[in-house]
């Protein structure tokens, strides 16, 4: 009698594992996979900004205004 053993591809195992992940786990995986690109992009954006005399409060308010324009 001949038996065959099916091997599951690495890609299929990754996809199966990702199906059971919640949103937070997927976001963390994304960050881990693209860490270098995200750091590079963040550095490029920050290098173009001039924070000068901005305080932490000024930066927080600017971020809030950008994210929630209806409140501000």
């Amino acid at each position: 009698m001949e038996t065959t053993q099916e091997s599951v591809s690495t890609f299929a195992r990754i996809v199966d594992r990702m199906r059971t992940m919640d949103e937070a786990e997927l976001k963390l995986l994304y960050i881990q996979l693209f860490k270098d690109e995200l750091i590079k992009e963040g550095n490029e954006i920050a290098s173009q900004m001039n924070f000068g005399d901005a305080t932490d409060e000024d930066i927080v308010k600017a971020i809030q205004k950008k994210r929630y324009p209806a409140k501000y």
Side-chain angles (χ1 to χ4, degrees):
M1 179 187 280
E2 214 176 285
T3 61
T4 59
Q5 182 179 6
E6 293 183 31
S7 63
V8 179
S9 72
T10 302
F11 178 75
R13 284 190 301 226
I14 292 170
V15 171
D16 286 342
R17 171 69 176 105
M18 290 175 70
R19 285 186 185 144
T20 62
M21 291 180 164
D22 62 21
E23 184 178 349
E25 290 173 313
L26 289 170
K27 286 180 180 180
L28 182 59
L29 179 63
Y30 178 85
I31 290 170
Q32 290 171 341
L33 289 173
F34 298 103
K35 178 182 81 171
D36 294 338
E37 290 87 350
L38 292 169
I39 291 171
K40 181 180 175 187
E41 182 179 358
N43 288 339
E44 288 172 359
I45 292 170
S47 70
Q48 298 169 4
M49 303 306 243
N50 180 11
F51 293 106
D53 297 328
T55 65
D56 289 346
E57 292 82 18
D58 295 334
I59 295 169
V60 169
K61 285 179 185 176
I63 292 169
Q64 289 173 335
K65 186 175 181 180
K66 177 88 172 169
R67 285 190 184 166
Y68 314 107
K71 286 187 171 184
Y72 296 92

